[in-house]
Amino acid sequence: MQKKRLKRPEVLSPAGTLEKLKVAVDYGADAVFVGGQAYGLRSRAGNFSMEELQEGIDYAHERGAKVYVAANMVTHEGNEIGAGQWFCQLRDMGLDAVIVSDPALIAICAAEAPGLEIHLSTQASSTNVETFEFWKEMGLTRVVLAREVSMEEIAQIRQRTDVEIEAFVHGAMCISYSGRCVLSNHMSFRDANRGGCCQSCRWKYDLYQVTEEDGRQSVQGQIPEEFSMSAVDMCMIEHIPDMIENGVDSLKIEGRMKSVHYVSTVTNCYKAAVDAYLESPEAFEAIKQDLIDECWKVAQRELSTGFYYQTPSEDEQLFGARRKIPRYKFVAEVVSFDPETMRATIRQRNVIKEGEAIECYGPGFRHFETKVEDLRDQDGLPIDRANRPMELLTIKLDRPVCPGDMIRSCQSGLINLYKDNGQSMTIRA
């Protein structure tokens, strides 16, 4: 029986800054999505100037990767002025595609910047094949699925359309339907649909009981969690086979406002997962637990599979007690390595100490644990502790590393938290 030929999906990583773009590409991203200085939904991300964007496009293209710009805001009257010229400039810079949700911006881009590929944003809430075909007729080549679509629905959509499917596989998920939030605007006059989200769903809320006798009484302490709306994060790393088998063209990682540590780690994991499964299911199974463990090292919240396999209840979806807390801290990146002396020159990012347990990792899912030995400052003097960010230091290693590799400290202590009838239980590493 002939083996089924599977299409390699694109690993699409977030890039909030030029540095993160380069890191994402170096760690295996097939494409990155960024924000320009107009029409996006992340006003507080390190959005790219045109000069930075050009440098990023050139850097990615030289390494076989693509760059997309998110222009997914909902326009109000007058917001569309100048959009055509902006889209033309992006096209002429060699941008691979724009990600758009507003029909007005889609029409402007198609009419005034022909040749620039348009992808439909998840904010447009595409959940069925008829919607895919509608946007195909409008000239769009890819649709980013609504986050509420199930795996079964993906399979059905794939069988009935040749439009490219992009789906989220990792990162923070908005509690509002397809990210179309009005809560932020209501509570802080910052419009989430035009880039001003204040993340009010992640604020701490209290509940009150109102009776005629006692009036309004807080129930704080009687309920286990103060959060009431904040969704847990998505992680599909162990289900990448399902995404590939069902024909998803692009695996999207959320996180343009996340750190270099996050971007490098998660990109590395999903690239390794895709490579392993396309080699063989057995190869994927052999590294699956390592991939899961690696993703937890940068997890900021609980992890779930969202709506892919079931409609999540409050137990699976709302932010609550953490099962795991990462005990890793990004401390440095490798600038150079001398194989004769086995000394690495590193650029410090956080406090690093002599004798500290560390893990070095790099592209290709390379990683090993060791200790900081013979820590020296930029003048070559031995030191016990370095606490000045971006300072150049040297350390002695027992294995070789490469420029661009990352170093994180491995802290001991409490790593698992469980709740049993409101009581906390702890397990030591």
Side-chain angles (χ1 to χ4, degrees):
M1 183 176 178
Q2 188 175 9
K3 183 180 178 181
K4 178 181 177 182
R5 185 175 179 84
L6 296 172
K7 181 180 178 181
R8 172 179 289 275
E10 168 188 272
V11 174
L12 176 56
S13 295
T17 64
L18 182 58
E19 178 193 25
K20 294 172 188 176
L21 181 151
K22 294 179 178 180
V23 167
V25 171
D26 291 345
Y27 275 74
D30 302 297
V32 295
F33 64 100
V34 307
Q37 294 185 331
Y39 307 109
L41 286 184
R42 289 291 182 270
S43 61
R44 291 179 293 163
N47 294 320
F48 285 57
S49 66
M50 286 301 187
E51 292 76 16
E52 290 172 327
L53 183 56
Q54 186 66 71
E55 183 178 345
I57 292 171
D58 293 342
Y59 187 90
H61 287 181
E62 287 168 2
R63 291 157 181 80
K66 296 180 178 181
V67 179
Y68 311 138
V69 165
N72 50 350
M73 72 177 289
V74 174
T75 57
H76 286 221
E77 191 61 36
N79 291 155
E80 78 287 353
I81 296 173
Q85 181 180 358
W86 185 70
F87 284 129
C88 284
Q89 190 174 358
L90 295 180
R91 178 198 61 190
D92 296 343
M93 293 169 68
L95 185 74
D96 296 284
V98 287
I99 307 169
V100 191
S101 65
D102 192 307
L105 290 180
I106 291 173
I108 290 170
C109 183
E112 300 187 33
L116 178 58
E117 193 168 323
I118 306 172
H119 297 170
L120 188 71
S121 170
T122 188
Q123 266 75 24
S125 303
S126 298
T127 59
N128 57 74
V129 72
E130 288 79 11
T131 299
F132 271 64
E133 290 301 298
F134 171 85
W135 289 112
K136 179 181 177 180
E137 291 180 8
M138 297 297 105
L140 276 66
T141 58
R142 178 184 293 186
V143 169
V144 187
L145 284 173
R147 300 164 191 179
E148 297 76 24
V149 172
S150 70
M151 191 64 66
E152 181 180 357
E153 289 172 321
I154 291 177
Q156 294 171 355
I157 291 171
R158 177 72 295 158
Q159 291 171 7
R160 297 174 57 196
T161 183
D162 59 357
V163 177
E164 290 186 355
I165 298 174
E166 183 176 309
F168 280 92
V169 293
H170 198 96
M173 294 292 109
C174 182
I175 198 67
S176 298
Y177 196 95
S178 291
R180 297 184 299 177
C181 176
V182 294
L183 187 65
S184 174
N185 204 345
H186 173 72
M187 301 190 74
S188 66
F189 301 103
R190 287 171 49 176
D191 193 340
N193 299 302
R194 288 197 285 171
C197 180
C198 68
Q199 296 195 331
S200 45
C201 64
R202 301 203 185 279
W203 296 354
K204 292 185 177 182
Y205 293 88
D206 200 355
L207 294 177
Y208 295 89
Q209 179 175 323
V210 181
T211 64
E212 291 185 4
E213 296 79 14
D214 302 321
R216 189 177 73 170
Q217 298 291 324
S218 170
V219 296
Q220 189 172 17
Q222 301 174 40
I223 54 175
E225 293 300 318
E226 292 178 304
F227 282 104
S228 63
M229 289 175 284
S230 184
V232 300
D233 287 357
M234 175 176 286
C235 179
M236 288 290 288
I237 192 66
E238 60 185 300
H239 302 287
I240 289 304
D242 285 349
M243 307 298 283
I244 295 176
E245 292 285 348
N246 286 305
V248 174
D249 297 281
S250 182
L251 309 176
K252 189 167 194 172
I253 300 166
E254 183 276 338
R256 278 193 285 141
M257 296 178 69
K258 300 286 182 65
S259 67
V260 168
H261 182 208
Y262 170 92
V263 171
S264 59
T265 299
V266 178
T267 300
N268 216 4
C269 285
Y270 282 89
K271 184 67 169 181
V274 169
D275 289 344
Y277 188 71
L278 290 178
E279 178 183 339
S280 70
E282 294 76 18
F284 175 79
E285 286 297 324
I287 66 166
K288 184 170 75 171
Q289 190 57 51
D290 288 340
L291 294 169
I292 295 170
D293 293 343
E294 193 77 2
C295 284
W296 273 106
K297 292 175 183 178
V298 292
Q300 295 181 334
R301 304 178 186 93
E302 263 300 310
L303 301 177
S304 79
T305 55
F307 288 78
Y308 283 124
Y309 298 104
Q310 62 184 10
T311 299
S313 70
E314 66 274 13
D315 294 327
E316 296 92 26
Q317 186 67 358
L318 292 182
F319 183 90
R322 295 283 298 276
R323 288 186 291 114
K324 297 183 181 180
I325 292 181
R327 302 299 299 177
Y328 293 84
K329 180 178 67 174
F330 177 41
V331 294
E333 59 183 316
V334 176
V335 176
S336 63
F337 179 74
D338 185 344
E340 293 185 3
T341 63
M342 295 297 288
R343 294 196 69 83
T345 299
I346 62 175
R347 181 176 289 109
Q348 181 202 359
R349 292 300 188 100
N350 278 299
V351 174
I352 186 169
K353 297 176 287 187
E354 177 73 20
E356 185 174 24
I358 57 172
E359 180 182 46
C360 301
Y361 70 94
F365 207 55
R366 297 180 289 106
H367 48 91
F368 66 90
E369 293 186 359
T370 185
K371 289 186 177 182
V372 176
E373 292 186 8
D374 196 14
L375 178 63
R376 294 177 179 266
D377 65 16
Q378 57 190 4
D379 297 320
L381 300 176
I383 54 176
D384 293 328
R385 187 174 187 270
N387 59 0
R388 290 187 292 178
M390 305 306 289
E391 181 181 9
L392 288 177
L393 310 167
T394 64
I395 58 173
K396 188 174 180 62
L397 295 173
D398 53 10
R399 299 190 214 179
V401 290
C402 301
D405 285 2
M406 305 287 180
I407 300 174
R408 51 189 168 212
S409 64
C410 314
Q411 304 173 44
S412 62
L414 304 179
I415 62 169
N416 293 296
L417 293 182
Y418 295 84
K419 284 212 168 184
D420 180 21
N421 296 324
Q423 299 299 312
S424 296
M425 299 192 302
T426 58
I427 299 176
R428 288 194 172 273

